[in-house]
Amino acid sequence: MALGTQIAFAQQSSTRSHWLNSPASRVEALAVLQTLNANLLSNASATLTLDRWCAAHKLAPEGSKIVAQRVRGQDKPADEHIRELLTVGPGELIAYRHVRLVCGDRVLSEADNWYLPAKLTAEMNQALDTSDIAFGRAVQALNFTRTNLSAKLLWSPLSEGWDMDGIVAHETSSPSLPPFLLEHRAVLKLRDGTPFSAVVESYTDNVLDFPVPQLLSR
């Protein structure tokens, strides 16, 4: 919990990028957000996707990798829906992990993860129990696949109907971002199609915390 507080303070004190509230900047923000959304949906591992996003947008010192900050004391027992997704009965053990995925001093996502220890190796289970390794990195050797259940845009820089009605110019200097911008729900599966993990991933406003892209004339 102390580590979580330190990271939260680091985030608050970091220099935030200021996306302008102009129509052009709002279109840029939407394009960037949808690019991240597409990258996440087209790759099995959110961890490795965030590794690449963090590096490409210089959100942390060079060479930084995603680590999982465990959030303890907020366990969510697997309900009937989770057991249906994992195709297991009431007697089979389902482990739970709530983490913040951090790159440098920025929390890029929070994730709830219900998984089946019996489907993992002893080494994988030990790493997940005793270290800050992200789940996708811990189980990478399984060469798993991902079935996306839903992808929800929690915030849009543009109002509904902008493509027909136009974009309203705002007076304030920068748009106000909510804490979370995207939410994904998915099931991870072994190569034979056996599910072993159900995840709910919420991506924070820190995914946009980089210098605002410039529109260049050619």
Side-chain angles (χ1 to χ4, degrees), residues 23-62:
S25 183
R26 283 179 168 266
V27 170
E28 287 178 302
L30 180 60
V32 171
L33 194 54
Q34 291 290 22
T35 297
L36 173 61
N37 194 36
N39 289 344
L40 290 164
L41 290 172
S42 60
N43 288 279
S45 174
T47 300
L48 301 184
T49 301
L50 289 179
D51 276 343
R52 293 188 290 269
W53 187 265
C54 186
H57 296 88
K58 298 179 172 59
L59 299 180
E62 186 175 355

Side-chain angles (χ1 to χ4, degrees), residues 14-192:
S14 65
T15 301
R16 304 285 299 186
S17 297
H18 293 289
W19 291 76
L20 300 178
N21 227 357
S22 67
S25 183
R26 283 179 168 266
V27 170
E28 287 178 302
L30 180 60
V32 171
L33 194 54
Q34 291 290 22
T35 297
L36 173 61
N37 194 36
N39 289 344
L40 290 164
L41 290 172
S42 60
N43 288 279
S45 174
T47 300
L48 301 184
T49 301
L50 289 179
D51 276 343
R52 293 188 290 269
W53 187 265
C54 186
H57 296 88
K58 298 179 172 59
L59 299 180
E62 186 175 355
S64 297
K65 296 294 184 182
I66 295 294
V67 296
Q69 175 200 356
R70 295 290 297 272
V71 180
R72 301 183 185 276
Q74 300 181 18
D75 288 6
K76 300 177 183 177
D79 58 18
E80 184 177 345
H81 176 62
I82 295 297
R83 290 189 175 275
E84 288 177 357
L85 290 176
L86 297 177
T87 64
V88 296
E92 185 158 352
L93 175 64
I94 298 179
Y96 173 76
R97 227 174 173 234
H98 183 190
V99 299
R100 297 187 179 103
L101 295 185
V102 182
C103 196
D105 65 359
R106 290 176 171 86
V107 176
L108 300 187
S109 76
E110 290 200 20
D112 293 303
N113 183 5
W114 296 266
Y115 63 96
L116 301 177
K119 303 298 183 185
L120 312 183
T121 67
E123 292 77 14
M124 291 174 185
N125 282 311
Q126 182 178 16
L128 291 169
D129 289 339
T130 62
S131 76
D132 63 359
I133 192 170
F135 188 82
R137 208 180 315 282
V139 302
Q140 188 175 1
L142 296 177
N143 197 22
F144 60 90
T145 63
R146 179 184 178 103
T147 298
N148 295 301
L149 304 177
S150 67
K152 184 185 300 182
L153 195 64
L154 302 179
W155 172 78
S156 176
L158 302 175
S159 58
E160 186 175 356
W162 69 272
D163 50 340
M164 296 297 293
D165 302 330
I167 305 173
V168 177
H170 296 263
E171 296 181 359
T172 54
S173 60
S174 61
S176 176
L177 303 183
F180 298 100
L181 307 182
L182 290 170
E183 180 191 89
H184 285 190
R185 296 173 182 263
V187 173
L188 308 184
K189 299 179 179 180
L190 303 177
R191 299 303 296 177
D192 64 2

